[in-house]
């Protein structure tokens, strides 16, 4: 016994002495079930992960070998995607049905193996049709190496403060920000198909899976209408938003139906119109002041797990230092509010310097619906009496607008990578991708073409690369080249689309109004240099196209091909993804890795 224990502690001592880059195997088991749950007080069928919603955090260290075993105990197929994880050398673990793997059927399991080659905030979610809307998602936290350079000394020069911030980062708390629907993703899709309409009206905004349905007074809804919302009402011959705070379905039929027939009677009244308030508990984040040091800071990973909306997040009376975006450190920006869209991650450092209870707000910015989610940040000073409870003062209101002129919003255009991440000055290949409605109003398309849903059931593209495959739904690139993707909105009014690419991060080179009439960025930059940043542009794994209200708009992203594999580029709005707004990319098709037999043979 002594001998064995002695050996164990010796082994342990040896292991601890190894450099921190030593890879550990991190196994996770995720069991998916289809059960009744009531996150906002309304009971409905949804997906639970290990019996909970949202799913449990997958926490690991940079360099770890990760093994996620998914058990599908649900009555339908699924796959699991790791949002923002580059899957370097393991494209078969990216979780896209028909592209990187065969579907996980009911009763079956699948083992995803990958290496944590990045640090920071990520998340996992279903990539099967609109299943994300059924609650299948959870956070991923990857702790950076102890030796990694951090930008905290740009927030404070005081070593004690920097130490406190490092401790807060090690204990970072994920905040999952979601929009929630009472219909299942399948019911929602059926309503779209039967009515011929997109139905962008949800029921509640959840923070860490908690929230409630609020029904605002008609006067409040009327008083908060924006100019854009008034314009849409006018275009649809209506004067008011519905009791749920939504743009009426008839307006969408008028404005977006694209000449196709619609059937408004196929839409149940609780989808757009009837609002039934609930009274479920909201999330309370409790932090003990003094947990870390005399200086108390808390770090949050804000994760936009939305199926549809873009919104504004803010914590009353507490500025946030945004120190990482989509997992990568940036030169910190101190702000009072940040706009968050589908898939975005913002890591923020918050100083706790005035014990009490403070409202955290997540307000929808999306034109078709006004609604807000709330949580509470609560902390006390153990040496002081409990402060009297009073309402905290918001930096933003219920539609995400600033309440005073001093409120600073995060500015993506000014975001700088830390350390700097240089971009190539020219691209080897330029691909133009038109965005339009192709069919019914829910059939959004990239490159004018709906990505066929049936491809989900095909043999994965990754298993049969074809260097000559250049078609309307497939882009093909060579390894170690730079590629520009030009997204062009060609029909309007067109909402913004949060475009996400799998397999690597991209640089946002520029955006503008009108048609992108040039053959390359180099040519365009000669004529309109002010529209581009070719020196130190923002880098992340998703960028939102500019809205096109009354005329075309464009956006260009550039990326380096260094991760050979089959990747999806798509709009992250679930109904747009389901409606076909995706393209496959055969990146570095000249150097694809061999698919391991356990993935190749998986049935
Ligand atoms: Cu979209």
């Amino acid at each position: 016994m002594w001998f064995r224990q002695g050996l164990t502690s010796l082994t342990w001592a040896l292991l601890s002495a190894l450099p921190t880059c030593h890879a550990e195997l991190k196994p996770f088991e995720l069991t998916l079930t289809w059960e009744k749950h009531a996150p906002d007080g309304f009971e409905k069928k949804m997906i639970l992960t290990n019996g909970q919603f949202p799913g449990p955090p997958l926490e690991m260290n940079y360099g770890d070998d990760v093994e996620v075993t998914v058990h599908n105990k649900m009555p339908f197929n699924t796959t699991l995607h790791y949002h923002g994880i580059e899957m370097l050398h393991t494209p078969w673990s990216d979780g896209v049905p028909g592209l990187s793997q065969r579907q996980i059927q009911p009763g079956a399991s699948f083992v995803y193996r990958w290496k944590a080659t990045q640090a920071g905030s990520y998340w996992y979610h279903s990539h099967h049709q609109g299943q994300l809307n059924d609650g299948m998602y959870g956070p991923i936290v990857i702790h950076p190496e102890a030796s990694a350079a951090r930008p905290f000394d740009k927030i404070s020069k005081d070593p004690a403060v920097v130490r406190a911030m490092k401790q807060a980062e090690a204990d970072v708390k994920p905040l999952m920000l979601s929009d929630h629907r009472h219909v299942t993703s399948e019911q929602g899709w059926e309503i779209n198909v039967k009515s011929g309409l997109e139905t962008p009206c949800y029921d509640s905004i959840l923070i860490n899976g908690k929230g409630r349905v609020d029904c605002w007074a008609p006067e409040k809804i009327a008083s908060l209408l924006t100019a854009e919302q008034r314009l849409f009402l006018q275009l649809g011959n209506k004067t008011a938003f519905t009791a749920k705070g939504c743009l009426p379905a008839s307006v969408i039929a008028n404005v977006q139906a694209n000449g196709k027939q619609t059937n408004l009677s196929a839409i149940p009244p609780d989808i757009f119109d009837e609002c039934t308030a609930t009274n479920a508990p909201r999330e309370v984040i409790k932090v003990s002041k003094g947990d870390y040091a005399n200086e108390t800071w808390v770090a949050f990973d804000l994760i936009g797990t939305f199926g549809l909306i873009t919104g504004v997040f803010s914590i009353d009376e507490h500025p946030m230092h945004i120190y990482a975006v989509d997992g990568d450190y940036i030169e910190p920006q101190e702000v009072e509010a940040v706009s968050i869209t589908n898939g975005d991650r913002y890591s923020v450092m918050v100083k706790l310097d005035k014990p009490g209870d403070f409202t955290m707000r997540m307000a929808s910015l999306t034109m078709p619906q006004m609604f807000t989610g709330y949580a509470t940040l609560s902390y006390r000073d153990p040496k002081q009496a409990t402060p009297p409870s009073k309402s905290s003062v918001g930096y933003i209101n219920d539609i995400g607008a600033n309440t005073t002129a001093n409120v600073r919003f995060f500015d993506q255009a000014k975001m700088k990578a830390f350390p700097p991440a240089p971009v190539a000055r020219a691209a080897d290949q330029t691909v133009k991708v038109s965005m339009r409605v192709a069919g019914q109003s829910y059939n959004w398309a990239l490159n004018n073409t709906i990505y066929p849903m049936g491809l989900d059931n095909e043999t994965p593209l990754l298993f049969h690369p074809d260097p000559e495959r250049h078609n309307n739904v497939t882009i093909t690139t060579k390894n170690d080249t730079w590629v520009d993707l030009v997204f062009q909105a060609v029909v309007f009014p067109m909402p913004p689309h949060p475009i996400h690419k799998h397999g690597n991060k991209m640089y946002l080179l520029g955006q503008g109004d009108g048609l992108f009439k040039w053959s390359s960025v180099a040519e365009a930059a000669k004529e309109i240099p002010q529209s581009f940043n070719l020196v130190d542009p923002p880098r992340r794994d998703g960028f939102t196209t500019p809205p096109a209200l009354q005329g075309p708009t464009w956006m260009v992203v550039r990326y380096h091909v260094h991760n050979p594999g089959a990747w999806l580029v798509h709009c992250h709005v679930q109904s747009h993804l389901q409606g076909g707004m995706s393209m496959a990319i055969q990146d570095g098709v000249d150097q694809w890795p061999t698919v391991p037999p356990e993935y190749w043979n998986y049935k």
Side-chain angles (χ1 to χ4, degrees):
M1 194 61 191
W2 175 88
F3 181 68
R4 215 180 77 189
Q5 226 170 5
L7 249 194
T8 311
S9 40
L10 179 68
T11 319
W12 185 240
L14 278 174
L15 278 177
S16 325
L18 285 171
T20 47
C21 63
H22 175 75
E24 237 182 274
L25 178 68
K26 281 278 161 66
F28 298 96
E29 302 263 337
L30 298 178
T31 300
L32 304 167
T33 52
W34 182 239
E35 293 183 58
K36 282 186 178 157
H37 196 60
D40 66 0
F42 178 92
E43 192 175 72
K44 60 163 286 197
K45 278 284 190 89
M46 55 188 296
I47 299 173
L48 300 188
T49 306
N50 294 356
Q52 62 188 83
F53 163 75
L58 305 183
E59 201 172 340
M60 62 199 73
N61 295 317
Y62 175 84
D64 281 350
D65 289 309
V66 184
E67 191 182 277
V68 183
T69 306
V70 173
H71 305 288
N72 180 9
K73 301 257 167 78
M74 308 186 290
F76 26 69
N77 292 348
T78 195
T79 63
L80 194 65
H81 170 63
Y82 306 84
H83 191 111
I85 300 290
E86 59 186 359
M87 292 290 161
L88 195 60
H89 311 309
T90 59
W92 39 81
S93 288
D94 195 46
V96 179
L99 194 73
S100 62
Q101 71 166 100
R102 293 191 182 88
Q103 309 223 37
I104 315 173
Q105 291 174 12
S109 299
F110 190 94
V111 184
Y112 294 93
R113 290 194 184 84
W114 48 277
K115 197 172 182 66
T117 53
Q118 304 146 283
S121 173
Y122 299 86
W123 60 299
Y124 61 89
H125 63 77
S126 168
H127 222 293
H128 175 75
Q129 298 179 5
Q131 242 173 30
L132 189 153
N133 276 344
D134 294 317
M136 189 170 144
Y137 48 79
I140 299 176
V141 177
I142 310 178
H143 298 292
E145 289 183 291
S147 60
R150 290 157 167 82
F152 301 142
D153 59 355
K154 292 172 184 277
I155 300 173
S156 169
K157 291 286 170 226
D158 181 343
V161 177
V162 171
R163 216 163 32 241
M165 286 191 275
K166 260 184 110 164
Q167 281 169 317
E169 184 200 33
D171 192 25
V172 65
K173 300 177 191 311
L175 282 187
M176 308 291 283
L177 309 165
S178 343
D179 45 11
H180 181 67
R181 278 195 109 165
H182 291 169
V183 289
T184 65
S185 67
E186 216 172 281
Q187 290 165 338
W189 182 248
E190 263 175 38
I191 293 167
N192 285 3
V193 172
K194 284 193 180 141
S195 65
L197 273 189
E198 200 179 350
T199 50
C201 188
Y202 278 55
D203 292 284
S204 55
I205 291 181
L206 308 179
I207 299 183
N208 282 351
K210 292 180 192 155
R212 57 181 75 155
V213 181
D214 285 324
C215 302
W216 296 355
E219 301 76 38
K220 175 175 173 176
I221 295 175
S223 72
L224 290 173
L225 284 173
T226 64
E228 190 190 2
Q229 288 167 332
R230 286 175 200 282
L231 173 73
F232 271 84
L233 283 174
Q234 211 181 344
L235 290 172
N237 297 318
K238 285 277 178 183
T239 53
F241 267 39
T242 69
K244 276 179 83 175
C246 290
L247 187 69
S250 65
V251 176
I252 299 175
N254 270 355
V255 176
Q256 218 127 43
N258 195 24
K260 299 273 194 250
Q261 207 167 7
T262 57
N263 176 14
L264 292 181
S265 65
I267 304 175
D270 56 350
I271 295 296
F272 279 92
D273 301 320
E274 290 170 4
C275 188
T276 310
T278 62
N279 199 12
R282 293 182 170 128
E283 173 75 336
V284 178
I285 307 279
K286 287 197 170 166
V287 185
S288 309
K289 186 165 163 57
D291 262 4
Y292 311 113
N294 288 335
E295 276 281 337
T296 304
W297 292 76
V298 63
F300 294 111
D301 282 342
L302 312 176
I303 309 175
T305 65
F306 313 113
L308 169 73
I309 71 159
T310 293
V312 179
F313 179 85
S314 181
I315 308 173
D316 288 3
E317 302 177 35
H318 287 73
M320 303 176 280
H321 296 268
I322 298 187
Y323 67 88
V325 173
D326 289 358
D328 287 345
Y329 288 129
I330 60 163
E331 302 271 343
Q333 275 190 35
E334 187 179 7
V335 302
E336 281 76 33
V338 54
S339 154
I340 304 180
T341 191
N342 318 50
D344 284 356
R345 284 94 61 215
Y346 292 92
S347 301
V348 305
M349 197 60 76
V350 179
K351 183 170 183 170
L352 303 182
D353 54 0
K354 47 194 296 191
D357 294 329
F358 302 90
T359 302
M360 307 168 105
R361 301 168 194 269
M362 181 70 232
S364 164
L365 267 191
T366 299
M367 187 279 293
Q369 184 170 16
M370 46 173 89
F371 61 147
T372 295
Y374 310 91
T376 303
L377 171 64
S378 173
Y379 61 101
R380 302 283 181 267
D381 187 335
K383 284 173 247 127
Q384 284 171 6
T386 304
S389 81
K390 59 173 170 66
S391 297
S392 54
V393 181
Y395 292 127
I396 59 167
N397 67 7
D398 280 342
I399 55 164
N402 50 309
T403 51
T404 71
N406 303 327
V407 173
R408 295 162 295 179
F409 283 71
F410 177 74
D411 186 349
Q412 180 180 268
K414 293 202 181 114
M415 151 185 171
K416 302 288 171 234
F418 174 89
V423 64
R425 296 306 292 266
D428 302 295
Q429 183 179 351
T430 300
V431 182
K432 288 190 182 179
V433 174
S434 291
M435 304 180 296
R436 64 162 70 244
V437 174
Q440 297 290 358
S441 78
Y442 53 84
N443 283 127
W444 288 97
L446 282 184
N447 206 24
N448 300 324
T449 313
I450 298 169
Y451 189 80
M453 220 192 280
L455 286 183
D456 285 10
N457 301 315
E458 297 290 313
T459 303
L461 182 66
L462 181 67
F463 296 4
H464 50 98
D466 178 359
E468 299 311 317
R469 190 181 286 126
H470 298 273
N471 57 40
N472 276 6
V473 291
T474 320
I475 296 166
T476 298
T477 70
K478 284 220 164 70
N479 202 36
D480 197 20
T481 59
W482 286 85
V483 177
D484 282 353
L485 301 177
V486 182
F487 295 93
Q488 174 87 63
V490 293
V491 297
F492 16 88
M494 181 177 291
H497 296 286
I499 301 290
H500 170 58
K501 184 185 179 296
H502 295 203
N504 61 268
K505 290 196 163 78
M506 313 169 284
Y507 296 85
L508 175 64
L509 295 190
Q511 49 193 326
D513 291 326
L515 285 170
F516 191 90
K517 57 185 182 190
W518 307 274
S519 63
S520 68
V521 165
E523 200 182 288
K526 270 189 209 142
E527 205 173 315
I528 44 165
Q530 70 284 1
S531 296
F532 293 96
N533 178 354
L534 302 173
V535 180
D536 53 3
R539 183 186 61 171
R540 52 193 313 180
D541 48 48
F543 287 106
T544 300
T545 59
L549 259 188
Q550 282 163 316
T553 60
W554 55 266
M555 172 178 97
V556 187
V557 298
R558 177 169 292 176
Y559 73 95
H560 184 236
V561 184
H562 57 263
N563 187 11
W567 310 110
L568 208 61
V569 61
H570 66 95
C571 175
H572 218 276
V573 169
Q574 289 302 292
S575 61
H576 297 183
L577 170 66
Q578 213 170 354
M581 202 168 184
S582 297
M583 285 185 81
I585 305 189
Q586 300 186 106
D587 262 337
V589 71
D590 48 319
Q591 292 187 32
W592 275 16
T594 307
V595 179
E598 65 268 33
Y599 291 97
W600 184 277
N601 296 325
Y602 183 85
K603 281 265 171 1

